[in-house]
Amino acid sequence: MLTKMAQGILEEVLMNTALVEDLAEVAKDEALLQGVVMRTRETPNSSELVTYTPLTLFPTSVPKAVFLQALAVQTHYNTLVDRISQDSDFLKEALASTIEVDDFTARLFRIYQQILKEGRSQSIVLGLNRSDYMLDQRDDGTSSLKQIEINTIAACFGGLSSRTPDVHRHVLKVAGRLEESQHILDNNPAAGLAQGIAKAWELYGSERAVIVFLVEENPEIFDHRYVEKELWKRNIRSIRRRFDDVSRTGSLDQDKRLFIDGLEVAVVYFRTGFMPQNYTTEQSWDVRLMMECSRAVKCPDISTHLAGTKKVQQVLARPGVLEKFFPDQPQAVELIRATFAGLYTLDMGPEGDKTVAMALAEPDRFVLKPQREGGGNNIYGSEICQVLEAVKDSTERTAYILMDKIHPAPVHNYLLRRDAPLKMSTCLSELGVFGAYVRRGEDMVMNECVGHLLRTKSSEHSDGGVAAGVAVLDNPLLI
């Protein structure tokens, strides 16, 4: 763990322009050497041209106690998501108002209802999620961990974040900061995510069966490749397919086993399917339903996907709700609740009216969130007033939730991006923690925290992640 003095030394390095210019070139080359790469935006379907994945020049200081708190609560979050996914009464009640006005959530919910009616074909559940936090700056200068969201589908950057520690270690060494370089933590989410997939594959019980990565056009293909590579180390074959491929060559046999291109599928790992635009045709929805009905293990299955919605997040923050899922584990409830930011309903009625009035009076205190994944969807500041004024008297407002705005302490760093000028930025960071769990029937076979992800962006951007082109990859330097 580093002292505040060491932080001051890093500030010195930040101010040395000639050194920074040299280090930027070193960092880009090291990123390429370590495989922290992505396809170019111009050619997202070809690896003929690649560039380094955007990253910070220096690691970012994170208080050790808060970092360890985020790791410690992750297995409880895994359990929570899994228990929500098994509670159909809770999901129906929590999402009742949302599915009236949000067509995308409603379509997912209709698939869920069909699966409930027909009965699940597979008792093996695989969950790979990422819980995202910001550090809220308190008045006394300390910071508290506050959850932004939990991603239960297509949680990305577990692969690339396994390769970034060596980049920052090297940069610090070249900068003459050997001691600091030794404090960059090892991190290998790719191995942990693959371990979960491999466990589900093994329980499925057919050595011939494959893993399907369900994908779309993706510049970040190498993020997937690291997980694939970990599976190949275990001699588990994986294939990459899109919705339209499965529509053409996918089918179920009489035992509901899923076949694609004649290959039996043990696990469908969704790296797409979390946004309405991923479902380009009705056939895409037919494919989702077919896969849900199949014996293949889905990551996530439809109920786990719904458990990750913003509305569920808001309902969980209500008094007494967490206790329902952890009736005899007050410590787990305490650990989870400590990470909640203020969350407020916009359902019709007095409570929702109160939320609307509160947001219109002080919009800068809040974030308005629709039921969407993928970054870049949240609404801030005066725009909150515009949106709420338009929907405040109609049920359309129930498509959103309101959350307290988190205020992390800004830090200085350089954000390295292809074709972007090298300049110091005032930055905010977001910490993600990866979880992996596997359950068969009642039996939790695996439940682990498998790594972390730090993303940093310029404070001028209120929303958006790495894939949205706003944030860049980073590493925590514990202080």
Side-chain angles (χ1 to χ4, degrees), residues 316 318-330 333-334 337:
L316 287 172
R318 288 176 175 245
V321 176
L322 279 179
E323 284 81 356
K324 178 180 181 315
F325 291 104
F326 294 94
D328 47 3
Q329 292 174 274
V333 170
E334 202 178 315
R337 187 165 283 140

Side-chain angles (χ1 to χ4, degrees), residues 114-131:
Q114 196 163 335
I115 300 301
L116 284 180
K117 198 170 81 185
E118 293 178 13
R120 293 171 190 265
S121 307
Q122 181 52 269
S123 64
I124 302 164
V125 173
L126 166 62
L128 303 178
N129 64 56
R130 195 189 70 225
S131 184

Side-chain angles (χ1 to χ4, degrees), residues 149-215:
E149 63 181 356
I150 189 157
N151 302 279
T152 62
I153 179 169
C156 59
F157 295 110
L160 290 169
S161 61
S162 304
R163 309 299 304 159
T164 54
D166 279 338
V167 179
H168 280 143
R169 284 184 188 123
H170 185 66
V171 168
L172 291 176
K173 281 180 190 171
V174 175
R177 303 293 169 207
L178 188 62
E179 190 207 342
E180 289 94 327
S181 77
Q182 290 163 348
H183 285 87
I184 303 265
L185 300 167
D186 284 334
N187 189 32
N188 196 352
L193 298 173
Q195 186 191 344
I197 297 170
K199 190 74 202 166
W201 175 86
E202 179 193 312
L203 293 173
Y204 182 85
S206 168
E207 287 202 358
R208 290 191 317 276
V210 299
I211 314 292
V212 170
F213 281 61
L214 197 74
V215 297

